[in-house]
Amino acid sequence: MRRLFHAFAAVSASLLAATAAQSATTIITPSIQPPGTSFLVAGNIFSGPIAASFGHTGIVAGAFTDLFQFTIPQNGVGSGSVITGTDAFLSTTDLDITSVTVNGLAALLVLRDSFGNICFVRGGVAGCGATEGYSIAGVPITSLALNTINVTGTSRGLGSFGGNATFSPVPEPATWAMMLIGFGAMGVAFRRRRVSALKIA
């Protein structure tokens, strides 16, 4: 009887853990990607610029939260966009994204209807919200800090979204100083050439 109780307790605990895992945020990193998700990076992460594409397909019905996490070994500025679209508005392949944040900063939403026109009320005339686009620019990225792209929404059964992000490194103060010295030297050399050319003329 005691063995049966322990077995039942173990099964119950594993079922509770599985239920909790399904309702939790989906964490996506470049090395850990749950089924249907992707996070692909191109470019040199040490010297930039860097481009990333990310997304999630086949999202089960209901509310979802996808948290993409990454680090970059340099300071810089990021920008990006997330887009969702469907061939059949309000079908199982459709979904509504409710928010996109990058490092806690909210991206701006632009809704389009089935004809590609900008609209303002989801579900309105001509299927407003058939395409949703979120965009953001000028997001500060700190070297080796954990950066996040957080996408929340509601899927009707097999929804999907895709996104793109770009990262531009910000030169370190020493690099800025070297660049300014270099530009200054170029200016002096150009001025000397111009004075010499005037004397010869």
Side-chain angles (χ1 to χ4, degrees):
M1 183 75 170
R2 185 175 287 174
R3 284 184 184 173
L4 183 61
F5 174 76
H6 287 302
F8 177 75
V11 170
S12 297
S14 63
L15 287 174
L16 285 173
T19 304
Q22 287 177 350
S23 63
T25 299
T26 301
I27 308 292
I28 299 103
T29 67
S31 59
I32 303 168
Q33 299 182 11
T37 66
S38 62
F39 190 94
L40 305 172
V41 178
N44 189 328
I45 62 170
F46 296 100
S47 61
I50 300 164
S53 61
F54 57 94
H56 194 167
T57 60
I59 304 172
V60 297
F64 70 91
T65 299
D66 286 342
L67 180 62
F68 298 86
Q69 299 180 311
F70 60 97
T71 58
I72 298 174
Q74 55 180 314
N75 293 322
V77 177
S79 61
S81 62
V82 175
I83 297 175
T84 178
T86 180
D87 294 331
F89 184 56
L90 299 179
S91 70
T92 57
T93 61
D94 193 15
L95 62 76
D96 291 330
I97 294 179
T98 52
S99 71
V100 175
T101 59
V102 181
N103 287 349
L105 301 175
L108 299 176
L109 169 64
V110 174
L111 295 173
R112 294 187 182 273
D113 63 20
S114 301
F115 303 104
N117 301 313
I118 293 176
C119 55
F120 301 98
V121 180
R122 275 194 178 101
V125 178
C128 183
T131 301
E132 303 167 343
Y134 284 82
S135 61
I136 192 168
V139 178
I141 305 291
T142 304
S143 174
L144 299 178
L146 186 63
N147 299 286
T148 61
I149 301 171
N150 199 12
V151 181
T152 65
T154 303
S155 174
R156 292 180 175 81
L158 293 170
S160 63
F161 67 84
N164 291 290
T166 57
F167 168 79
S168 301
V170 173
E172 297 295 328
T175 306
W176 276 117
M178 292 300 290
M179 287 171 63
L180 290 174
I181 290 169
F183 288 138
M186 286 171 56
V188 169
F190 179 73
R191 187 172 179 186
R192 282 185 181 166
R193 281 186 190 169
R194 190 171 176 192
V195 170
S196 299
L198 287 173
K199 284 181 180 177
I200 292 171

